[in-house]
């Protein structure tokens, strides 16, 4: 063999190329799918001396799941009908006689929530004892978990730690008996689980109940709330309001609370308390006061010259949603080129003498409607 310097240099270059370790990358580097959908990753060779062997594994060197498939040449990994446990990192490893290299891919699997209670109902508890029930929720994205009492839309105050939401009572009373629902929700769906709690009171202990646990009423009306109570001796019934005094225009007679001419400030939770020598019991009514719209126009009069811009704003107070519509007095249609928006604005970029007149905004909700007028004066 010729051992001249030129031949040695050429051999050195060829040997270096033939001994090059592979360089790989993965496309895509990350993928997000819903449960039941499929995902694929391709391992691509950048360089390296053949022959190169490709192999896919989990990042922790565990075997691939049974719902995965690798293509004939080893480059494409497909996860079919993805399951939540398929989430994680996957590693493509390329090797030849000179060495090996790896590239990582990440799979995210979104799935609807799953909920589970730490205790199975029904729970029978003696009055005055503490109670707590844990609700564990899983899902991706991480679900929002809430507790509600069946028949009520009010969200209960709970304690949340990581993926566990706990409802608890320091001391239960008979009125706490009922069915409670833990609900978990994310972008992929909703899951619910129920538990029944039965509170056993001592003989003669008061048990309070209200005629309606939720009320939606209209501003200005007179409202009555009724409360009944059993027990021996017969309990004394009183009414109060959560975190606020009772409205000054109220009366209580025979367990019935009467509120005259209610306003939106009277919305809230009202508490019936029944008391005797054996203890007390509470029942609750949530009242929401809704009101029809009250519309105003800003400004209510404006003076312009031809070519000026007109801008009117209709403001409406009341229970939402409120729809606002502009029109023109005298059954005249709005001027060509005028623009009205959902937030109650009316705009005319360049007014003409013919645009003068009275403009009317009408605000409407499911209770009623209100109108406001604006006078537009245009003089040359």
């Amino acid at each position: 063999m010729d051992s001249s310097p030129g031949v040695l240099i050429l051999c050195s270059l060829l040997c270096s190329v033939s001994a090059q370790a592979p360089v790989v990358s993965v496309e895509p580097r990350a993928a997000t799918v819903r449960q039941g959908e499929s995902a694929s990753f391709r391992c691509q060779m950048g360089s390296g001396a053949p022959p190169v062997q490709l192999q896919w594994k989990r990042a922790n060197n565990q075997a691939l799941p049974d719902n995965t498939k690798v293509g004939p040449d080893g480059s494409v990994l497909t996860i079919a009908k993805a399951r939540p446990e398929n989430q994680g990192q996957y590693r493509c490893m390329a090797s030849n006689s000179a060495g090996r290299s790896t590239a990582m891919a990440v799979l995210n699997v979104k799935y609807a929530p799953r909920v589970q209670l730490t205790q199975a109902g029904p729970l029978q508890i003696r009055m005055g004892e503490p109670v707590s029930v844990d609700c564990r929720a899983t899902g991706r994205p991480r679900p929002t978990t809430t507790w509600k009492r069946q028949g009520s839309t009010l969200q209960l105050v709970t304690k949340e730690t990581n993926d566990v939401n706990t409802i608890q009572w320091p001391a239960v009373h008979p009125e706490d008996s009922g069915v409670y629902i833990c609900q978990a929700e994310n972008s992929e769906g909703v899951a619910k689980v129920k538990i029944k709690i039965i509170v056993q009171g001592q003989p003669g202990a008061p048990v309070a109940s209200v005629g309606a646990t939720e009320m939606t009423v209209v501003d200005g009306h007179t409202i009555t709330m009724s409360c009944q109570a059993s027990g021996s001796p017969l309990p004394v019934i009183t009414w109060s309001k959560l975190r606020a005094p009772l409205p000054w225009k109220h009366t209580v007679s025979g367990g019935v609370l009467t509120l005259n001419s209610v306003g939106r400030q009277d919305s809230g939770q009202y508490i019936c308390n029944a008391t005797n020598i054996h203890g007390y019991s509470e029942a609750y009514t949530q009242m929401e006061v809704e009101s029809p719209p009250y519309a105003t126009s800003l400004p209510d009069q404006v003076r312009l010259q031809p070519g000026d811009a007109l801008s009117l704003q209709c403001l409406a107070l009341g229970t939402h949603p409120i729809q606002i519509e502009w029109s023109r007095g005298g059954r005249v249609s709005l001027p060509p080129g005028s623009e009205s928006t959902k937030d109650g604005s009316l705009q005319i970029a360049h007014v003409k003498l013919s645009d003068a007149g009275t403009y009317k905004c009408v605000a409407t909700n499911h209770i009623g409607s209100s109108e406001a007028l604006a006078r537009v004066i245009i003089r040359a």
Side-chain angles (χ1 to χ4, degrees):
M1 180 178 176
D2 188 351
S3 59
S4 64
V7 172
L8 291 174
I9 292 172
L10 178 60
C11 177
S12 175
L13 290 173
L14 290 175
C15 291
S16 173
V17 171
S18 63
Q20 185 177 2
V23 177
V24 292
S25 62
V26 173
E27 289 294 332
R29 296 174 65 181
T32 300
V33 298
R34 288 187 167 94
Q35 182 176 358
E37 296 179 342
S38 298
S40 292
F41 298 99
R42 179 179 292 276
C43 192
Q44 298 177 322
M45 285 289 302
S47 60
V52 176
Q53 182 180 5
L54 298 177
Q55 186 179 21
W56 282 96
K57 285 187 177 182
R58 293 297 294 261
N60 52 11
N61 274 334
Q62 289 184 348
L64 292 173
D66 58 7
N67 61 330
T68 60
K69 181 180 179 181
V70 178
D73 62 355
S75 64
V76 178
L77 171 70
T78 300
I79 299 97
K81 297 181 179 179
R83 303 188 292 260
E85 59 268 23
N86 294 143
Q87 176 157 316
Q89 292 184 323
Y90 293 80
R91 182 175 64 181
C92 172
M93 184 173 65
S95 58
N96 64 7
S97 58
R100 66 181 182 181
S101 68
T102 61
M104 306 295 289
V106 178
L107 177 66
N108 298 303
V109 181
K110 299 195 294 184
Y111 63 96
R114 302 168 183 171
V115 288
Q116 183 178 9
L117 298 179
T118 54
Q119 297 166 277
L123 296 181
Q124 297 197 17
I125 314 294
R126 292 189 62 84
M127 185 178 70
E129 292 184 350
V131 180
S132 66
V133 181
D134 295 337
C135 179
R136 183 179 299 275
T138 58
R140 295 192 192 99
R142 182 179 175 178
T144 300
T145 310
T146 56
W147 278 97
K148 292 181 181 178
R149 188 169 182 165
Q150 186 168 278
S152 173
T153 59
L154 295 177
Q155 181 177 324
L156 300 174
V157 178
T158 58
K159 176 185 176 183
E160 191 163 8
T161 306
N162 297 327
D163 59 350
V164 177
N165 195 310
T166 304
I167 185 172
Q168 52 191 0
W169 294 264
V172 291
H173 295 279
E175 66 271 14
D176 296 322
S177 295
V179 177
Y180 292 84
I181 303 170
C182 175
Q183 174 176 302
E185 181 175 4
N186 66 9
S187 60
E188 303 305 299
V190 179
K192 298 179 182 180
V193 64
K194 299 180 180 180
I195 187 169
K196 186 174 184 178
I197 294 178
I198 303 169
V199 180
Q200 300 170 332
Q202 65 188 80
V207 178
S209 62
V210 290
T213 57
E214 294 185 5
M215 302 174 68
T216 301
V217 301
V218 177
D219 186 9
H221 286 202
T222 295
I223 304 304
T224 60
M225 301 181 190
S226 61
C227 179
Q228 299 82 36
S230 61
S232 180
L234 194 65
V236 176
I237 294 176
T238 57
W239 279 94
S240 60
K241 187 182 180 186
L242 181 66
R243 300 191 187 96
L246 288 171
W248 67 275
K249 291 186 290 185
H250 80 271
T251 59
V252 178
S253 177
V256 176
L257 172 65
T258 301
L259 306 177
N260 297 305
S261 187
V262 295
R264 296 188 69 183
Q265 71 278 3
D266 298 326
S267 295
Q269 187 180 73
Y270 290 78
I271 305 167
C272 166
N273 184 296
T275 306
N276 68 10
I277 59 174
H278 299 294
Y280 73 94
S281 172
E282 291 180 342
Y284 312 96
T285 295
Q286 180 73 25
M287 183 178 76
E288 298 298 331
V289 180
E290 298 186 334
S291 60
Y294 176 75
T296 57
S297 173
L298 291 178
D300 58 3
Q301 181 172 301
V302 61
R303 298 176 183 272
L304 301 172
Q305 293 181 341
D308 289 347
L310 171 66
S311 178
L312 298 175
Q313 181 68 48
C314 184
L315 302 177
L317 300 176
T319 300
H320 288 265
I322 298 176
Q323 289 79 39
I324 297 176
E325 185 176 357
W326 279 98
S327 62
R328 206 169 165 189
R331 297 184 179 179
V332 180
S333 59
L334 289 173
S338 62
E339 293 184 5
S340 58
T341 62
K342 290 183 179 180
D343 65 356
S345 171
L346 175 66
Q347 307 281 343
I348 301 177
H350 305 286
V351 297
K352 302 186 292 291
L353 287 171
S354 59
D355 297 335
T358 301
Y359 290 75
K360 179 172 69 175
C361 95
V362 177
T364 306
N365 65 8
H366 68 282
I367 302 170
S369 63
S370 171
E371 64 180 48
L373 302 178
R375 187 182 177 198
V376 178
I377 303 169
I378 302 175
R379 290 179 180 171

